[in-house]
Structure formats: C-alpha cells, structure tokens
Amino acid sequence: RAITLGLLVIGSLLQTALAQRQPDKIELSAWLGKYPARSALEAEVLNERLLAFGEQGIVHLCLLLQESDSLRTQAEFALNGLAIYLSQPEKQSQRKRYARALATALQTGLSSQNKAFLLQQLALTGTNQALPAIEPLLHDPRLADAAIRTLLALGTKKAQQTLIDAYNHAENAIKVKMLSAFTHIENDKAIAIL
C-alpha cells in the first residue's frame, strides 16, 4: 500500500514537472514499449506517466497511430488503457483533458481507421467539448457509423441535438444510419423525424 501511494505521488510530481514540455517520438516510443502492462499497478504508473506529457503529448501519441505495426499497436494499447483508466469518476479533470486531446487529433490528417479508433476512445471518455470535432465526421461515409455510436455513448442532450442537426444535411445512406440511432434516444425531435 505504501509502495502504491509512493508511486502515485511520484507519478503526480512527474505529471506536474513534465506537463510543460513535449515528448519526442523516441521518448514516447520508449514508454510505449512497456505496453501492455502486466499488472494493474504497472498500468496505473504507465498511464500517469503518459498523462504527464499533457494534452499535446496525448495528441503526439495519437499521431503514432500512423506508424509501423508494432508502434501503432502499442499506441492503441496505451490510448485504450488511458480511456479505461480515466473512466473512473475521480479522474474527471484528467478525462476532460484527454478527451480534448483526442478531439484535437481527430482534426489532423489521421486515416479514417485511426479516427474511428479515437472515436471509440471518446465513447468512453468524451464530453460535449468533443462535439465540434465529432460533428463533421457524421458526414463522412467512412466515419459516420463510429461518430453516431460515439454520440449515442455520450448520451447528452447536446450530443443528441448534434445528431439531429446533422440529419438534415446528411446523405441518404447516412440518414438511414441516423434513423436507426434515433430509435435509441428519447428526444421529441428525433421521434418526430421517425
């Protein structure tokens, strides 16, 4: 128990100290080489270390999804591990920063496959702050399904309204998917569209 507390204190101090500087690819790669974690304690230390890189560090981590197979796989492990770790209620402020970083990464030149992966992570950690980054993806035939699922997972009134507003401007094939989504939300406007 004392070791766990000590590791958390060290992780917190590292997070504060490192939040101001950006990791380089080599440094991130070195940390990613430790994934997947072999224990819950190791996962917590790794997650806190990655969070210590700050929002821009997480964006850099997202950009590693474009790299070679092994590095991409490790980045996926890390990003998903962070999403699960940050879904704890007491991690709300860190979860918001993480979601902002993912939303920023969605607006980069990542492939559709990588953006779909990030949308899955936002389904676990996202807030209404991510809606402006998700909304344009509702009009992309390759990403509409993932964007719709993310909005449904967020479950907020604003997420529902984003989906309803996008319906009016969507292509017919995407409208069909949105209609299916409307059956899963309790919203008078969505019911009226059905």
Side-chain angles (χ1 to χ4, degrees):
R1 202 155 177 90
I3 292 172
T4 301
L5 182 59
L7 288 172
L8 289 176
V9 168
I10 290 169
S12 178
L13 292 172
L14 279 173
Q15 183 172 359
T16 303
L18 295 173
Q20 301 303 317
R21 69 175 201 57
Q22 301 306 311
D24 61 19
K25 183 177 173 182
I26 294 170
E27 188 174 9
L28 271 176
S29 297
W31 279 97
L32 291 178
K34 299 173 190 289
Y35 279 89
R38 292 178 293 274
S39 69
L41 179 59
E42 183 181 21
E44 187 167 356
V45 170
L46 290 172
N47 288 330
E48 287 296 330
R49 178 62 182 95
L50 288 176
L51 290 169
F53 289 127
E55 286 181 40
Q56 284 302 314
I58 299 301
V59 171
H60 287 291
L61 178 58
C62 293
L63 296 177
L64 291 179
L65 293 170
Q66 304 175 99
E67 297 295 328
S68 67
D69 288 342
S70 63
L71 191 54
R72 181 181 63 245
T73 300
Q74 290 169 325
E76 288 172 348
F77 272 123
L79 288 164
N80 184 252
L82 282 169
I84 293 167
Y85 177 68
L86 294 173
S87 65
Q88 301 172 57
E90 67 273 11
K91 301 289 183 188
Q92 184 175 4
S93 65
Q94 290 175 306
R95 184 170 53 248
K96 286 181 181 180
R97 288 191 297 274
Y98 178 73
R100 277 194 308 263
L102 295 183
T104 299
L106 281 175
Q107 298 172 50
T108 67
L110 287 172
S111 71
S112 294
Q113 177 184 355
N114 293 329
K115 288 182 180 184
F117 175 79
L118 294 180
L119 285 166
Q120 291 172 347
Q121 308 321 301
L122 276 172
L124 297 172
T125 61
T127 66
N128 286 338
Q129 291 177 319
L131 295 177
I134 297 170
E135 190 278 329
L137 305 180
L138 290 166
H139 304 288
D140 183 333
R142 297 164 296 177
L143 292 168
D145 282 332
I148 290 167
R149 283 192 304 273
T150 300
L151 292 176
L152 290 175
L154 294 181
T156 65
K157 296 241 183 258
K158 286 186 177 183
Q160 292 174 1
Q161 191 59 50
T162 299
L163 187 56
I164 292 165
D165 292 345
Y167 177 82
N168 295 323
H169 308 290
E171 296 175 8
N172 286 337
I174 295 173
K175 280 186 176 182
V176 171
K177 296 171 185 182
M178 291 178 173
L179 287 171
S180 177
F182 291 160
T183 65
H184 298 287
I185 60 176
E186 293 182 28
N187 182 298
D188 292 337
K189 290 179 184 177
I191 292 169
I193 293 171
L194 290 173

